[in-house]
Each structure stands twice: as C-alpha cells, then as structure tokens.
Amino acid sequence: DADVTQTPRNRITKTGKRIMLECSQTKGHDRMYWYRQDPGLGLRLIYYSFDVKDINKGEISDGYSVSRQAQAKFSLSLESAIPNQTALYFCATSDASAGRVGTDTQYFGPGTRLTVL
Amino acid sequence: AQSVAQPEDQVNVAEGNPLTVKCTYSVSGNPYLFWYVQYPNRGLQFLLKYITGDNLVKGSYGFEAEFNKSQTSFHLKKPSALVSDSALYFCAVRIRSGGSYIPTFGRGTSLIVHP
C-alpha cells in the first residue's frame, strides 16, 4: 500500500464546497483509477486513466472530475460537494503491460474518508 | 450484461473450520477473475487471480479459489480459518467497456471467524 498514497486521509467539508483528493504512486504503473466505497454497495468506479492523455468516465462519474497531472499523479475533484458523496474513496493503479497479456491487478491506496455535512 | 455477484453479505465460520466465500460472474469471452481482501481501516489487497490454466488457484495467506466455467463461479476457499482472516472480501472481474477492459467489483462479503 505504501506505493500508492492518498491525501488527505480524512476530510470533513460542507455542502457546496469544492474539494480535491490527491493520489500519487511510485509503482511506475500507467493505469490509475478512482473508486468510492459505500456499505452494501461495494466499490464503484468513478473515473479511470490509462495514460496521461487518456481519461475515461466510470460507472458513477456525475458530480466528479479528475486530472492526470503526470504518470504518477491522479486527482479527484468534487466541484460542489453534496451529502450523498460521503463515502470512502480509493485510488488504485494497475500495470496492463505485465506479461504478454495485461491482467490489471489493482494496487490500492489506503483510502480517504470524506464526510460532507 | 457483464457483472459479478457475491450472494452472501456475511459468512460466519468457527476458527479451524474450512471457509468458502462465493462469487459468480457473467462476462463475454474468457474471464479474468480476482479476489481482494480489505482489513479494517485499510485499502484493498490483492489475494489471487485466475487468468488461464489450472482451475485451482493458490494465493496469499493460505487462500485458494476454484474456477468453474460451467457454473460461472470463482469461490474463495481456505481449509482452516483463522480469527485474523476476519475481513471484507471482494471478488472482481474484468469487463469489456468500449475498446478497453476495466475492473468491476462485487458488493463484498464480510467474513467473521469466531474463536
């Protein structure tokens, strides 16, 4: 987990505020992902990026935006936070080039617990 | 539709007994299947994966999983459970999205091992 870091680890904010969650990795992987975890719903993909110039929406991208500043950095923004965005957010990386056929094994950061009041 | 399902929200087992955490999938083509574990206040950790080959896959911490193509299942197993195995377990599968493959996760199964 130390290869993928997330800041902040905990954040409490108010409705309507803009907030940014940051993710950095030292694994040298090209692919990065943002997920949110809610009890009973598992992990849901918000956005993913296969390289610096490739950004894709996931299952639940509404209300979120991302920026891939470099191969090692992928940030998630909530433009105007709302209470139902209260969740645990995870960044992950994968190396699709592993072996002849990429397997996309995910390597996760420790998570950011976000509370929107 | 491509998906992965974990039919049990919670599995309870006594320490020393065998455990099984169930996972079924629906994908087009050959599945790439994964199991991850999440301990309290931690991120998910990779346990094992099935890509091709032997249907019985061995992973970390003594866990193994059996791929069954006819039943479209990939159940996680361990012969003798430990209290320290208590955690949240996620099954995942790669699904095709446009021209790419992306992971999709089940809802998770809470494993509780009683002393």
Side-chain angles (χ1 to χ4, degrees), chain A residues 35 37 40 101-103 106, chain B residues 32 34 36 38 49 94 103 107:
Chain A
Y35 297 91
Q37 182 181 17
V101 177
T103 63
Q106 304 275 295
Chain B
Y32 283 20
F34 304 81
Y36 295 85
Q38 183 182 26
K49 66 187 176 190
R94 275 197 351 174
R107 294 190 174 192

Side-chain angles (χ1 to χ4, degrees), chain A residues 36-91:
Chain A
R36 66 176 278 176
Q37 182 181 17
D38 299 277
L41 296 179
L43 266 70
R44 292 181 291 169
L45 185 60
I46 306 173
Y47 270 95
Y48 60 101
S49 169
F50 285 173
D51 65 41
V52 174
K53 296 182 179 180
D54 179 70
I55 304 289
N56 303 278
K57 293 182 178 181
E59 177 187 356
I60 53 163
S61 59
D62 287 349
Y64 301 95
S65 63
V66 291
S67 174
R68 185 81 184 266
Q69 300 95 324
Q71 186 207 35
K73 296 185 181 295
F74 191 37
S75 59
L76 175 72
S77 293
L78 286 67
E79 298 302 324
S80 179
I82 56 177
N84 76 0
Q85 291 178 314
T86 293
L88 190 54
Y89 289 84
F90 286 104
C91 175

Side-chain angles (χ1 to χ4, degrees), chain B residues 7 12 18 33 37 61 68 72 88-91 93 95 97 102 115:
Chain B
N12 291 277
L33 296 155
V37 59
Y61 313 121
N68 188 318
T72 61
L88 192 55
Y89 290 82
F90 290 94
C91 182
V93 65
I95 65 170
S97 177
I102 58 172

Side-chain angles (χ1 to χ4, degrees), chain A residues 27-42:
Chain A
K27 299 187 76 68
H29 289 170
D30 289 327
R31 299 186 172 193
M32 298 187 74
Y33 309 77
W34 276 105
Y35 297 91
R36 66 176 278 176
Q37 182 181 17
D38 299 277
L41 296 179

Side-chain angles (χ1 to χ4, degrees), chain B residues 23 33-35 48-50 57 65-67 73-76:
Chain B
C23 172
L33 296 155
F34 304 81
W35 276 103
L48 51 80
K49 66 187 176 190
Y50 172 83
V57 179
E66 185 171 11
F67 171 66
S73 67
F74 188 55
H75 300 332
L76 181 70

